[in-house]
Amino acid sequence: MSSATSLPEISRSEVNRRNPGLRILYYALCLLLVALIAGGWWLYWIARRPLPQLDGSVSVPGISAKVRVVRDEHGVPTIEAATLDDLFFAQGYVTAQDRLWQMEMMRRAAAGELSEVIGESTVKMDREQRILGLRLAAEAAEKSMSLSVRDRVYFDAYARGVNAFLESHRERLSLEFRLLKYTPRPWTVTDSLLVGALLVEYLNHYPYQRALEREKILAKLGPELTADLYVNSSWRDRPPTEERRIDGEPAANSGDDDDDDDEEVDPEGGNSRLISALAPGDGFVDDLQLASRIPKKLKSVRANSVVPPGLESFVPLFPALKRWARLGRPSGAEFSSGTEYSSGAGFSSGAEYSSGAGYPAEPFRPGSNNWVVSGQHTVSGKPLLSNDMHLDHQMPNLWFEAHLKTTAATTTAAATTTTTGKPGNFDVAGVTLPGVPFVIVGHNQRIGWGFTNVGPTVEDDFIEEFNAQGQYKTPAGWVDAQHRQETIHVKGKPDVTLDVVTTRHGPIINDLLPTELLPGETRKIALRWTLQDGMGLIFFDADSAENWEQFRKAFSGFGAPGQNVMYGDVDGHIGYQATGRVPVRAAGDGSLPVSGSDDAHEWKGWIPFDEMPHVYDPPSGILATANGRITPEGYKYSISTEWEAPWRTDRIYRVLESGKKFAPTDMLELQMDVSSTYDRFCADKFVYAVDHAASASDRAKRAADILRDWDGRMSADSAAPTIETKARQELARLLLEPKLGAAADISASSPNASAASGALSWKSYRWMMSPVWLENVLTKQPARWLPPGYSDYGSLLTAAVESAVSQSGTPSGDVARIASGAPSDLSQWKWGGNYPVEIDHRLLSRLPVIGRFMGPGVHPLSGSKYTVKAGSRGFGASERLTWNFANFDESTLNLVTGESGVFLSPYYMDQWAAWYAGSTFAFPFSQTAIEQHRAHEMTLVPR
């Protein structure tokens, strides 16, 4: 007989009585879930409230008639108004809709007022800006002839437009204002000028530091070695006013394999405006596919994340990389040692930039390209003009696309004429600078233009002699210095006050000097800078110009920052003009500090505009610049003591001189070119040395084999660029360390590490022409540069390769730290993983969970400083454009991320995939094209 045992039934109420803790936990979890859902919806609501109105009517005070704002499928506005007053009012309003936070940060960064809203972390930067006096420069420009009566009206209209948006949206400002818990003050004309001054600072404020560095190295090495290091010309230079082709070296064939880019476009672009530089299937690596190869340890972070509403479509584009958590930065991809950091405004300090010698360090990083070809070189028979201005990445990107149109050239009561001298339509499109009216780079119905930085020497260091009474010496005797009291308000902390001492040359800048220049510096150094003389605001005239003469007349008043301007027009003409005020000195060229006690080195005036390099309709039909030397041999003035190395300019000319008939897609392909003649040159030297070495290691021979088969492309999926770059870094150390000393290991824990970091070392040599120095050394192999312990340059080059690829930890400095974490298989030293691009929002990316979606993040990158597609971790093309003078509707333009700076806007990052993969968008201009691409229409109505 069998029996069954059954368990007694226990009711839920019995469970609750026996386990009250479970009941409490259950309700607590329910409450937590409800709180999370409610909090998520609240954050979503807060983030969506600032989204700008894109359709319908908006009643605003301050305009005289209706203004039509049509946005295309990428949020790019075409603003059409009856008067210029209303047009620039609307430009201010529309720009503030998408970029108010960016405008606010730029004016605060320029004025030295970030700490008031961010805290003590930005006090150092604010101190620098207060000493430099950018606000004083902006205020002076507003009061001086730098701002005409006409332009003052337009600047004021722009400011009124910004304020109309601000006043009507105080309760719906973007998420950044919510997080920092403040409302911005009204916009002013001075604020617009401050934004312009900030760009001048970024592009032209570095020669003062170079002069002091050069002085120290000169004292250490003497004139011969210093002259070698500070070379400022090359046989490869291509000044635009010189007609020539380098003998013995054929032009690049843009149709052969050497000119194809290693990156394909995303075949799933899915936009009617998307234009590809390359067709899929060319056999090259797609950067978007490369992104999926990031190490698994970084992927795990994204795998556990939650996608915020509105960003689902972006997920396939962004590889799973370790990102900023609550307060942290992402680690570098793979084993890169580069460091990069930025101010709150998004402008980088330049810590992560590899000099030509191969080591990080540059306060300014050139990389811009522009070129124009006449109709004899194009499919259409009309010119093509291309431009990609390289700047530090930020979120949102710097430029704001816009098309500005009027049907009457009148302001308020008084009629105003355009540059042509007669009333007419104002119709211009291109990129604008948020916070500033007008189009900065663009085209109108007849002409178009593009910029690269000249890099003029517009700063001088004057050594002032002070007495015990605080007076400084001048040719007229002792004079009292001026004192300016500055107060920096710091959020949550006491105010910081400083006394800015100013002489006839400018402010005393000792407090601004970098660490390596401080030891032993007891002199008082005053900074003379052209910004103190005004910027020259000419963009309304440039936007209105209809031919070469009017265009040159407009830019004859441009003060700073000096730019290489390429020109083209619908009549088939092309031209080039160097712009900006460049001082003519009584003696010297600004390359070294000089005495301020006499007048021996005073500025006597400016290089006459008509004597600045320029050319119109050259016989070759080709003009190009890439920050390199623009002065022909025998030019009587000194424009710059430091040009950029010639490699990019040389590559551009070789492609354009190939004899091919170009279309806009060919121009984009050239902008994406990643071939580096310089890196290939160095690689060949390393291979030859290892092949002929008596006892090269197997690992060095493996490195040489990888370099031997390399075609010079800085491709993200290639190991050769990484090996070559790290070997070149070691070569620079081996050459310079015996002359200038070893660099301190700043990661060391010794108590003397910080002090030692201020000493002169091999890393103190920073020069944009440094690759020309290294090329000269490797070509001529002078005995004066061969380090002790090496019998010849072959053994030196071999030692550099051995050190770069060593796994034993024997290399010194950065290379040792890199090698210690590198894969043992050299073929896995992928360039893209070690030298990626990183773009994050400086504030929002610090948010937990959702912060990782506030910017593209970290991605493998093809290209280098010496390729046409120049870039680094925090630096690259800020836009890519091509103006087609046969049909402006077939012109192309794309930004880095998108038009809007408002999170959750559909235009926040919609251009990123195209920028990253090498595609672009049509830029409609005619009324028919505007209507075809219309996605939104808003009307501003007078209140």
Side-chain angles (χ1 to χ4, degrees), residues 113-117 126 130 487-491 494-496:
E113 297 172 351
L114 286 172
S115 302
E116 185 176 4
V117 296
D126 284 348
R130 298 298 183 94
T487 300
I488 301 173
H489 302 299
V490 184
K491 183 178 181 179
D495 290 347
V496 174

Side-chain angles (χ1 to χ4, degrees), residues 668-685:
L668 178 60
E669 184 174 345
L670 180 53
Q671 289 175 326
M672 298 295 293
D673 184 272
V674 295
S675 295
S676 174
T677 306
Y678 175 59
D679 290 283
R680 179 63 185 270
F681 165 82
C682 293
D684 288 345
K685 295 295 183 182

Side-chain angles (χ1 to χ4, degrees), residues 386 398 417 423 564 634 688-689 743 764 931:
S386 296
L398 179 63
T417 57
N564 296 303
Y688 185 87
S764 301
E931 297 302 330

Side-chain angles (χ1 to χ4, degrees), residues 95-111:
T95 306
Q97 280 186 299
D98 281 310
R99 300 292 189 92
L100 183 61
W101 166 254
Q102 181 184 39
M103 294 161 59
E104 167 73 0
M105 286 295 99
M106 287 197 293
R107 70 171 169 179
R108 283 187 174 275

